[in-house]
Amino acid sequence: MNPLADRRALLAAPLLGLLGGGLLWLAGREAGPAFAMGALPVLAVLLAEMARSLRGGEFGLDLIAALAMGFGLVMGESLAANVVALMYAGGQFLDDHARRRASAEMTALLARQPRSALREGPAGWEETPITALRPGDRLLIPKGGVLPVDGVLESEIALLDTAALTGEPLPLRAERGQALLSGMGNAGEAFVLAASTDAEASTYAGILRLVRAAQESRAPMARLADRWSLAFLALTLVLAGGAWAASGEATRALAVLVVATPCPLILAVPVALMAGLSRAAALGMLVKSAAALEAMARVRAVVLDKTGTLTRGQAELVGVAGDARALRDAAALDQASAHPIARALVAAARARGLSLPMPEAVRETPGEGLEGMVEGRRVVVGGPRFVLARAEGPVPEADLHADLRSLVAVEGRIVAALLFADPLRAEAPGLVARLRAAGVGRVVLASGDGAAATARVAAEVGADAQHARLDPAGKVAVVAAERAHGPVMMLGDGLNDAPALAAADVGVAVGARGAAAAEAADAVLLGEGIGRLAPVLAAARRARAIAVQSVAAGIGLSTLGMIAAALGHLTPVQGALLQEAIDVAVILNALRALKS
């Protein structure tokens, strides 16, 4: 059965006990057995859970609830026992609901990973499970396919999408004999790959193992309630034992235990954190558990991925150096190409209102460039090496930063340079300042891109430090190093970020574009609005502060009630009703976390 359904069934027992006992009391009959029947299932489950906890070396406040229910039943105070059972079962239901919130929204890890491949066999290319692939197998990687294993390129050239592994938004051109990694995507025409590993030994599988290792090695976070439990437990037992010893009345000890039943701890913390989860969802972040939200409230350092996180992850035309009219000629020719840069150029030209004629006699060298006729003139567009081999003239210079330059030649003369970059998201420049205002002391940029591009973005956003050319293990190392400054949050969007997301105290996936990132992370920032990160952090801090406030107030009032019970001013049933009133007060206070 679903664990949450188990908690619902457990909560139903004391509710039915109260209902049945109330009806019996109204009918003038003995209500005690009904109240007892409502408390017994909760006590049995609680004792079983305590036994499991003790075997695991854990010990906490559940003992008070067990003693209150057990003594209440033994001493004939079954109504008090039922009330304690109701509040305990309710708290457990709320806590489970908070921890399981949104986990059903997460997909299986690495849905992107291929399950089969086209392997060369006696009858041609045969569909084969990737578990059956062996080194030396010849594989056909179709257009849009993902490399299932590491291998060596046997075709002349291949155009590869490496964003999932490195975060780099621009395609990689590979040539015959070049080693390729599993997880890369085929952004060009189909090609032949000679496998050099099996699936288990591939780079892609290695990243998966790194994710699992990071998740297993991350230290468990102590819950807020756990840090209050032992001191309150000791105080309760001292007061209960002292009241019994001093008065000789066991009912005083029971009254103390009933008042002390730690419902402010059991209820206030999950209610405040659940309210915080709802507030985070309203702000656009899906947080997987109350524990993750509590950890988020303590974050002091943030590690940011660059490509696809701070930037848009797509190349855009940022300028034209030289003859501006060359943009129309180049875009007209690029209509014949499916290359991402060609698509970006065509989109930029159309956004400027340019009318693009259809090219003729187009020849494309994949990953290099195109040449053809535009309105009777010979036009060449592509990388510098490609164009310089076919045209003459000086290369136009520009002051604008560019991650990539394409040259344009018309009738054998170089006339312009097209400048492309992966621009920052609109919210990125002010993100670091907003994070600092939300209580973050240090912000670090960690990227798989080159040093120059990483340093430029770090300067633009105001990061405290930057690390470039990082593989997934390198990002994990950065997260580990930043723990010296306090709990660490990692923000990323791709497979290459998944191990670091898992290793961080709080991992946040941007946009949930990749199943690996979403699965490894503790939270998912829905959509692309990274500007919402700071408000969510502020909401997490507020929710935790309200939880602490509610617990402190609840325990303070409970302590006063315990003293009154120890002095004989409260009966067990009166103590249970007082505890109910305290519970309502702390829950109402905890719900303030729903507000901004």
Side-chain angles (χ1 to χ4, degrees):
M1 182 182 286
N2 185 316
L4 203 55
D6 291 342
R7 294 299 186 190
R8 289 194 191 98
L10 188 65
L11 180 58
L15 283 173
L16 291 173
L18 280 178
L19 177 62
L23 292 175
L24 288 171
W25 179 78
L26 289 174
R29 302 177 62 182
E30 174 59 39
F35 294 140
M37 291 301 294
L40 278 171
V42 178
L43 178 59
V45 170
L46 174 55
L47 291 174
E49 290 182 348
M50 286 176 59
R52 284 195 295 270
S53 297
L54 287 172
R55 285 196 295 270
E58 298 178 2
F59 183 76
L61 285 172
D62 292 347
L63 176 62
I64 299 176
L67 289 174
M69 280 185 273
F71 280 1
L73 292 172
V74 169
M75 297 174 64
E77 297 283 352
S78 53
L79 175 57
N82 193 302
V83 172
V84 172
L86 175 63
M87 301 313 295
Y88 178 82
Q92 291 299 302
F93 172 78
L94 287 170
D95 190 44
D96 268 19
H97 182 66
R99 284 187 286 109
R100 296 176 185 279
R101 179 187 177 89
S103 61
E105 302 292 333
M106 298 300 117
T107 58
L109 181 62
L110 292 179
R112 178 179 182 273
Q113 186 177 27
R115 298 289 182 265
S116 62
L118 292 172
R119 181 175 65 179
E120 187 178 40
W125 300 108
E126 302 171 346
E127 192 83 15
T128 306
I130 64 168
T131 52
L133 300 181
R134 295 293 179 265
D137 287 347
R138 297 182 77 243
L139 310 176
L140 180 65
I141 310 299
K143 186 174 183 177
V146 176
L147 277 65
V149 294
D150 297 353
V152 176
L153 180 62
E154 288 200 349
S155 299
E156 289 298 325
I157 59 169
L159 195 61
L160 299 158
D161 177 3
T162 65
L165 296 181
T166 66
E168 173 57 52
L170 302 178
L172 169 71
R173 183 182 186 276
E175 298 178 353
R176 181 192 290 273
Q178 188 167 337
L180 306 180
L181 302 178
S182 58
M184 291 179 171
N186 182 5
E189 299 302 320
F191 61 83
V192 176
L193 180 79
S196 57
T197 68
D198 57 23
E200 185 62 24
S202 70
T203 299
Y204 206 78
I207 293 176
L208 268 179
R209 288 191 292 271
L210 192 58
V211 171
R212 296 190 191 103
Q215 289 173 326
E216 292 169 1
S217 65
R218 181 168 56 183
M221 296 172 290
R223 293 185 305 165
L224 177 63
D226 296 338
R227 292 191 287 276
W228 294 71
S229 61
L230 291 180
F232 188 68
L233 175 61
L235 174 64
T236 300
L237 295 179
V238 167
L239 280 175
W244 192 351
S247 66
E249 299 177 12
T251 53
R252 291 197 183 189
L254 175 59
V256 170
L257 291 174
V258 169
V259 175
T261 300
C263 292
L265 282 172
I266 295 171
L267 292 173
V269 173
V271 167
L273 294 181
M274 277 184 66
L277 290 174
S278 296
R279 180 61 188 156
L283 290 169
M285 182 183 288
L286 190 67
V287 183
K288 293 185 184 181
S289 69
L293 189 80
E294 187 183 337
M296 195 177 290
R298 303 197 303 270
V299 164
R300 292 294 177 267
V302 174
V303 177
L304 301 170
D305 170 51
K306 183 181 83 67
T307 304
T309 301
L310 291 177
T311 68
R312 297 176 186 171
Q314 296 178 342
E316 293 185 7
L317 182 73
V318 295
V320 179
D323 188 349
R325 293 173 298 179
L327 173 60
R328 178 176 179 271
D329 292 331
L333 185 61
D334 269 353
Q335 291 179 103
S337 174
H339 192 285
I341 297 300
R343 291 198 297 267
L345 180 59
V346 172
R350 287 176 175 161
R352 288 165 169 78
L354 299 179
S355 176
L356 305 180
M358 291 304 297
E360 298 176 344
V362 179
R363 289 190 302 167
E364 180 174 7
T365 302
E368 296 257 1
L370 296 90
E371 50 189 317
M373 304 300 293
V374 176
E375 296 181 329
R377 292 171 296 128
R378 182 172 174 269
V379 177
V380 181
V381 60
R385 183 177 65 176
F386 178 80
V387 177
L388 287 170
R390 292 161 175 79
E392 299 178 346
V395 176
E397 296 293 332
D399 294 332
L400 286 173
H401 165 80
D403 294 327
L404 178 75
R405 290 173 181 250
S406 290
L407 299 182
V408 183
V410 178
E411 296 293 349
R413 300 292 301 176
I414 296 174
V415 296
L418 306 175
L419 311 177
F420 295 88
D422 183 10
L424 288 175
R425 296 183 187 274
E427 311 98 318
L431 177 63
V432 172
R434 290 192 292 271
L435 288 175
R436 296 196 197 285
V440 174
R442 182 172 168 84
V443 180
V444 174
L445 190 60
S447 176
D449 287 358
T454 302
R456 172 180 61 85
V457 172
E460 290 183 21
V461 301
D464 296 294
Q466 74 271 345
H467 304 272
R469 299 193 182 283
L470 296 176
D471 59 11
K475 291 189 176 184
V476 171
V478 169
V479 167
E482 291 303 319
R483 280 210 174 89
H485 303 281
V488 178
M489 172 185 283
M490 170 70 192
L491 190 70
D493 74 317
L495 172 65
N496 61 314
D497 300 315
L501 291 170
D505 297 286
V506 182
V508 178
V510 178
R513 285 194 296 269
E519 184 72 19
D522 300 291
V524 178
L525 193 59
L526 303 175
E528 307 296 331
I530 59 174
R532 291 171 291 185
L533 181 61
V536 171
L537 273 176
R541 296 192 197 284
R542 173 178 164 79
R544 186 176 184 275
I546 288 174
V548 171
Q549 181 188 85
S550 298
V551 168
I555 286 181
L557 292 172
S558 294
T559 301
L560 293 176
M562 285 192 295
I563 294 172
L567 295 175
H569 299 311
L570 291 174
T571 66
V573 172
Q574 290 172 335
L577 294 176
L578 174 63
Q579 186 61 58
E580 285 259 22
I582 294 171
D583 294 340
V584 171
V586 298
I587 288 173
L588 290 175
N589 185 65
L591 287 173
R592 291 191 301 115
L594 281 169
K595 301 177 181 179
S596 57

